[in-house]
Coordinates of all heavy atoms in Angstrom, one line a residue:
T1299 N 0.8 -1.2 0.0 CA 0.0 0.0 0.0 C 0.9 1.3 0.0 O 0.3 2.4 -0.1 CB -0.9 0.0 1.2 OG1 -0.1 0.1 2.4 CG2 -1.8 -1.2 1.3
W1300 N 2.2 1.1 0.1 CA 3.1 2.3 0.1 C 3.5 2.7 -1.3 O 3.8 1.9 -2.1 CB 4.3 1.9 0.9 CG 4.1 1.7 2.4 CD1 3.0 2.0 3.1 CD2 5.0 1.1 3.3 NE1 3.1 1.6 4.4 CE2 4.4 1.0 4.6 CE3 6.3 0.6 3.2 CZ2 5.0 0.5 5.7 CZ3 7.0 0.1 4.3 CH2 6.3 0.0 5.6
N1301 N 3.5 4.0 -1.5 CA 3.9 4.6 -2.7 C 5.3 5.2 -2.6 O 6.1 5.1 -3.6 CB 3.0 5.7 -3.2 CG 1.6 5.1 -3.6 OD1 1.5 4.0 -4.2 ND2 0.5 5.8 -3.2
D1302 N 5.7 5.7 -1.5 CA 6.9 6.4 -1.3 C 7.8 5.9 -0.2 O 8.6 6.6 0.4 CB 6.7 7.9 -1.0 CG 5.8 8.1 0.2 OD1 5.3 7.1 0.7 OD2 5.5 9.3 0.5
R1303 N 7.6 4.6 0.1 CA 8.4 4.0 1.1 C 8.6 2.5 0.8 O 7.7 1.9 0.2 CB 7.7 4.1 2.5 CG 8.4 3.5 3.6 CD 7.6 3.7 4.9 NE 7.6 5.1 5.4 CZ 6.9 5.6 6.4 NH1 6.2 4.8 7.1 NH2 7.0 6.8 6.8
T1304 N 9.8 1.9 1.1 CA 10.0 0.5 0.8 C 10.2 -0.3 2.1 O 10.6 0.3 3.2 CB 11.3 0.3 0.0 OG1 12.4 0.9 0.7 CG2 11.2 1.0 -1.3
L1305 N 10.0 -1.6 2.1 CA 10.1 -2.4 3.2 C 11.1 -3.6 2.9 O 11.0 -4.2 1.9 CB 8.8 -3.0 3.6 CG 8.8 -4.0 4.8 CD1 9.1 -3.4 6.1 CD2 7.4 -4.8 4.8
E1306 N 12.0 -3.8 3.9 CA 12.9 -5.0 3.7 C 12.8 -5.8 5.0 O 12.8 -5.3 6.1 CB 14.4 -4.5 3.5 CG 14.6 -3.8 2.2 CD 16.1 -3.4 2.1 OE1 17.0 -4.1 2.6 OE2 16.4 -2.3 1.5
L1307 N 12.7 -7.1 4.8 CA 12.7 -8.1 5.9 C 14.1 -8.8 5.9 O 14.4 -9.5 4.9 CB 11.6 -9.1 5.7 CG 10.2 -8.5 5.5 CD1 9.1 -9.6 5.4 CD2 9.8 -7.6 6.7
V1308 N 14.8 -8.7 7.0 CA 16.1 -9.2 7.1 C 16.3 -10.1 8.4 O 15.3 -10.1 9.2 CB 17.2 -8.1 7.1 CG1 17.1 -7.3 5.8 CG2 17.1 -7.2 8.3
G1309 N 17.4 -10.7 8.5 CA 17.7 -11.5 9.7 C 17.0 -12.9 9.7 O 16.8 -13.4 10.8
L1310 N 16.6 -13.4 8.6 CA 15.9 -14.7 8.5 C 16.8 -15.8 8.0 O 16.3 -17.0 7.9 CB 14.6 -14.5 7.6 CG 13.6 -13.6 8.1 CD1 12.5 -13.4 7.0 CD2 12.9 -14.1 9.4
D1311 N 18.0 -15.5 7.6 CA 18.9 -16.5 7.0 C 19.1 -17.7 7.9 O 19.3 -18.9 7.5 CB 20.2 -15.9 6.6 CG 20.0 -14.9 5.4 OD1 18.9 -15.0 4.8 OD2 20.9 -14.1 5.2
D1312 N 19.2 -17.5 9.2 CA 19.5 -18.6 10.2 C 18.3 -19.3 10.7 O 18.4 -20.2 11.5 CB 20.3 -18.1 11.4 CG 21.7 -17.6 10.9 OD1 22.3 -18.1 10.0 OD2 22.3 -16.6 11.6
H1313 N 17.1 -18.9 10.2 CA 15.9 -19.5 10.7 C 15.5 -20.7 9.8 O 15.9 -20.7 8.6 CB 14.7 -18.5 10.6 CG 14.8 -17.4 11.6 ND1 15.7 -16.4 11.6 CD2 14.0 -17.2 12.7 CE1 15.5 -15.6 12.6 NE2 14.5 -16.1 13.3
E1314 N 14.9 -21.7 10.4 CA 14.4 -22.8 9.6 C 12.9 -22.5 9.1 O 12.0 -22.3 10.0 CB 14.3 -24.1 10.5 CG 13.8 -25.3 9.8 CD 13.6 -26.5 10.8 OE1 14.1 -26.4 11.9 OE2 13.0 -27.5 10.4
A1315 N 12.8 -22.5 7.8 CA 11.4 -22.2 7.3 C 10.6 -23.5 7.2 O 11.1 -24.6 7.0 CB 11.6 -21.6 5.9
S1316 N 9.3 -23.3 7.4 CA 8.4 -24.5 7.4 C 8.1 -25.0 6.0 O 7.5 -26.0 5.8 CB 7.1 -24.1 8.1 OG 6.4 -23.0 7.5
S1317 N 8.4 -24.2 5.0 CA 8.3 -24.6 3.6 C 9.1 -23.6 2.7 O 9.8 -22.7 3.2 CB 6.8 -24.5 3.1 OG 6.4 -23.1 2.9
H1318 N 9.0 -23.8 1.4 CA 9.8 -23.0 0.5 C 9.1 -21.7 0.1 O 9.6 -20.9 -0.6 CB 10.1 -23.7 -0.8 CG 11.0 -24.9 -0.6 ND1 12.3 -24.8 -0.2 CD2 10.8 -26.2 -0.8 CE1 12.9 -26.0 -0.1 NE2 12.0 -26.9 -0.4
H1319 N 7.9 -21.5 0.7 CA 7.1 -20.3 0.4 C 7.8 -19.1 1.0 O 8.4 -19.2 2.1 CB 5.7 -20.4 1.0 CG 4.7 -19.4 0.6 ND1 4.7 -18.1 1.1 CD2 3.7 -19.4 -0.3 CE1 3.8 -17.4 0.5 NE2 3.1 -18.2 -0.3
P1320 N 7.9 -18.0 0.2 CA 8.6 -16.8 0.7 C 8.1 -16.2 2.0 O 8.9 -15.6 2.8 CB 8.5 -15.8 -0.4 CG 7.4 -16.3 -1.2 CD 7.3 -17.7 -1.1
L1321 N 6.9 -16.5 2.3 CA 6.3 -15.9 3.6 C 6.0 -17.0 4.6 O 5.2 -16.9 5.5 CB 5.0 -15.2 3.3 CG 5.1 -14.0 2.3 CD1 3.7 -13.4 2.0 CD2 6.1 -13.0 2.8
A1322 N 6.7 -18.2 4.5 CA 6.5 -19.3 5.4 C 6.9 -18.9 6.8 O 7.8 -18.1 7.0 CB 7.2 -20.5 4.9
A1323 N 6.3 -19.5 7.8 CA 6.7 -19.3 9.2 C 8.1 -19.8 9.4 O 8.6 -20.8 8.7 CB 5.7 -20.1 10.1
R1324 N 8.8 -19.2 10.3 CA 10.2 -19.6 10.6 C 10.5 -19.7 12.1 O 9.9 -19.0 12.9 CB 11.1 -18.5 9.9 CG 11.2 -18.6 8.4 CD 11.8 -17.3 7.8 NE 12.1 -17.4 6.4 CZ 11.2 -17.3 5.4 NH1 9.9 -17.1 5.7 NH2 11.6 -17.5 4.2
R1325 N 11.4 -20.6 12.4 CA 11.8 -20.7 13.8 C 13.3 -20.8 13.8 O 14.0 -21.3 12.9 CB 11.1 -21.9 14.5 CG 11.4 -23.2 13.9 CD 10.7 -24.3 14.6 NE 10.9 -25.6 14.0 CZ 10.4 -26.7 14.4 NH1 9.6 -26.7 15.5 NH2 10.6 -27.9 13.8
K1326 N 13.9 -20.5 15.0 CA 15.3 -20.5 15.1 C 15.7 -21.1 16.5 O 15.1 -20.9 17.5 CB 15.8 -19.0 15.0 CG 17.3 -18.8 15.0 CD 17.6 -17.4 14.9 CE 19.1 -17.1 14.7 NZ 19.4 -15.6 14.5
D1327 N 16.8 -21.9 16.5 CA 17.3 -22.4 17.7 C 17.7 -21.3 18.7 O 18.4 -20.4 18.3 CB 18.5 -23.3 17.4 CG 19.0 -24.1 18.6 OD1 18.9 -23.6 19.8 OD2 19.4 -25.3 18.4
R1328 N 17.2 -21.4 19.9 CA 17.4 -20.3 20.9 C 18.9 -20.0 21.1 O 19.3 -18.9 21.4 CB 16.7 -20.6 22.2 CG 15.2 -20.6 22.2 CD 14.7 -20.6 23.6 NE 13.2 -20.7 23.6 CZ 12.5 -20.3 24.6 NH1 13.0 -19.7 25.6 NH2 11.2 -20.4 24.5
R1329 N 19.7 -21.1 21.0 CA 21.1 -20.9 21.2 C 21.8 -20.0 20.2 O 22.9 -19.5 20.4 CB 21.8 -22.3 21.2 CG 21.4 -23.1 22.4 CD 21.9 -24.6 22.2 NE 21.3 -25.2 21.0 CZ 21.6 -26.4 20.7 NH1 22.4 -27.2 21.4 NH2 21.0 -27.0 19.6

């Protein structure tokens, strides 16, 4: 819905995704 602003989602590389879907839920080992 934004015209003059962009959004970036970062910090997900070390998470385990529940599927290959780009918006799939993710979890990460607490350690």
Side-chain angles (χ1 to χ4, degrees):
T1299 65
W1300 294 346
N1301 291 319
D1302 55 357
R1303 181 180 286 178
T1304 61
L1305 175 71
E1306 291 182 35
L1307 305 180
V1308 301
L1310 295 171
D1311 292 341
D1312 293 330
H1313 289 72
E1314 179 187 352
S1316 59
S1317 75
H1318 295 295
H1319 192 279
L1321 301 178
R1324 289 163 167 80
R1325 61 181 177 178
K1326 185 176 185 179
D1327 191 320
R1328 291 194 185 203
R1329 291 170 298 181

